[in-house]
Amino acid sequence: MRRTLIRYKTRPEIADRNAELVAAVFAELNAAKPDGVRYLTLRLEDDTFLHFVEAATEDGSSPIPKLKAFQVFQDGIRDRCVEPPLVRAVGIVGNYRMLDEA
């Protein structure tokens, strides 16, 4: 299982648009219901976004980048940011009912 955390900060005037683009990704995920992926996005009060992806596929790949809504979200992401996306693999130190225990 592969877990990834992506962090970036958007420009305040475009943060709501970024949130709309993220919501569209979740709408497509909910419609497609791909197996082997769990995904969470948080927005902090300073317009920092945190995306947490857990991929349980054999090779650790995620189906999210193949979604049309995700591709639309990715287009221009760096222009929406004051702090560019930082992608890091993560390990779980503690978990109480938030993540799959598998």
Side-chain angles (χ1 to χ4, degrees):
M1 182 169 309
R2 182 173 182 211
R3 294 181 175 114
T4 307
L5 182 70
I6 302 99
R7 178 192 179 281
Y8 58 91
K9 185 174 181 177
T10 60
R11 294 179 308 157
E13 68 274 12
I14 200 87
D16 288 341
R17 176 65 182 141
N18 191 76
E20 291 169 3
L21 292 167
V22 171
V25 173
F26 280 94
E28 190 172 343
L29 278 171
N30 285 320
K33 299 188 184 330
D35 290 328
V37 67
R38 295 165 61 97
Y39 186 33
L40 168 76
T41 300
L42 303 169
R43 179 180 177 180
L44 306 181
E45 62 188 14
D46 70 348
D47 297 322
T48 294
F49 286 78
L50 302 166
H51 298 251
F52 183 75
V53 184
E54 185 178 82
T57 57
E58 290 281 327
D59 63 358
S61 66
S62 168
I64 294 172
K66 296 174 186 156
L67 299 174
K68 175 136 178 75
F70 184 79
Q71 293 165 10
V72 171
F73 163 78
Q74 283 289 97
D75 186 36
I77 183 66
R78 293 201 180 268
D79 294 333
R80 293 192 304 271
C81 292
V82 292
E83 292 177 16
L86 179 64
V87 180
R88 294 288 186 254
V90 297
I92 304 301
V93 175
N95 175 35
Y96 180 74
R97 297 185 184 179
M98 287 298 293
L99 305 170
D100 188 15
E101 297 290 335

